[in-house]
Amino acid sequence: MTGHSAGWAASDVRTRHVLDIDGLGSAGLAAVLALAEMGPQELPRVLEGQGVALLFEKASNRTRNSSEMAAVALGGHPVYIQGDEVGIDIREPAGDVARTLACYHSVLCARVIDHETLVRMAAALDGAEVAVPVINLLSDRAHPCQALADLLTLRQVFGPTGLGDRTVAYVGDTNNVWRSLAVAASMVGMATRVASPPGYGPSAADVELVRSFGGDLTVTDDPVEAADGANAVYTDVWTSMGQEEEAEARLAAFAGYSVDESLLAAAEDAVVLHCLPAHRGEEISASVVDGPRSVVWMQAANRMHAMRGLLAWVMGVAPLAGEEDRPR
Ligand code: CP
Ligand code: NVA
């Protein structure tokens, strides 16, 4: 056991649901990153003997495995559950699924088709005064666990002086990954740019959301304008899970938006990020994702460290006083 504080009464602290990255607040984000950057031995085994539900309505490699191992590192017992087994809103309502899982688990993590499912699960637990936090493992709207790993990666790449004077350019679909990344980057003072074909750019509400964190956001349909002089270039699949019927139309619409060698000529010193899985020859070329500027495997590895920090934080672990304020 270290000097880090752990354990909290439901009456003391609002249940720390994490449905998107902005739900952490700036102090929470700093605390989670500080915890994520600590070795597993430095953290209290705050989940000792307790269950962690990992409910997936969609496929996963990184999220499932990083979450399982993060829970184990804190002494917890992760239980992987496929959506079909519990049948959210088919076999029983989302709220009843959540309340049932909360009888056995201290944290409820879920990857859902519809973001609203997470909202309803958290509301059902709050309404019943059950202090079990809900963590979003990806929804159609957000992917906060990925954004945490992305920030960890950017901090490792750009060093301990902070990210405030760096720019991350996202080229592609303004999906769940983009939304959480743009908000997270804005929360730590990075400038962000996004380039998407007409019809696939951010909504006015999303632009407002990102800018509400003081984010310097540039929106364009020109990938070269976005990449020009950027410190990091990020992309994700053009067709997300659940959009398979649109795949052909999206392939046509996103032609010219590939992160390839020719686009990277505009961002000579940039590192390249991708949450994975990658589709070589579509949103990213093989030579880029497998090349020297790619940090995708750092991102993948950081998923586990980010999740360990996040699980510790939702369980009430706080970094040592001032630790989250240190430049990293
Ligand atoms: N990046 C990511 O979330 O990967 P998985 O879909 O494999 O979990
Ligand atoms: N945008 C992708 C991310 C996968 C990790 C999807 O939702 O399928």
Side-chain angles (χ1 to χ4, degrees), residues 174-198:
T174 51
N175 57 19
N176 42 12
V177 168
W178 168 75
R179 197 170 290 105
S180 294
L181 173 77
V183 171
S186 298
M187 288 173 77
V188 299
M190 293 185 82
T192 63
R193 300 181 194 153
V194 59
S196 315

Side-chain angles (χ1 to χ4, degrees), residues 56-60 80 111-113 138-140 176 241-242:
F56 285 81
E57 288 193 295
K58 294 178 175 178
S60 171
Y80 171 70
R111 170 167 284 196
V112 296
I113 295 165
L138 180 146
S139 67
D140 55 331
N176 42 12
M241 291 181 276

Side-chain angles (χ1 to χ4, degrees), residues 256-317:
Y257 286 80
S258 188
V259 174
D260 56 18
E261 303 283 0
S262 102
L263 179 64
L264 287 186
E268 278 177 25
D269 299 322
V271 292
V272 175
L273 295 96
H274 191 310
C275 59
L276 304 177
H279 293 127
R280 291 169 175 78
E282 293 186 19
E283 78 278 357
I284 195 162
S285 66
S287 63
V288 168
V289 72
D290 300 319
R293 299 163 74 170
S294 167
V295 294
V296 301
W297 299 114
M298 285 174 69
Q299 287 176 270
N302 278 328
R303 290 296 307 275
M304 183 170 69
H305 306 309
M307 195 62 187
R308 195 174 58 240
L310 184 60
L311 285 172
W313 184 79
V314 299
M315 291 301 293
V317 180

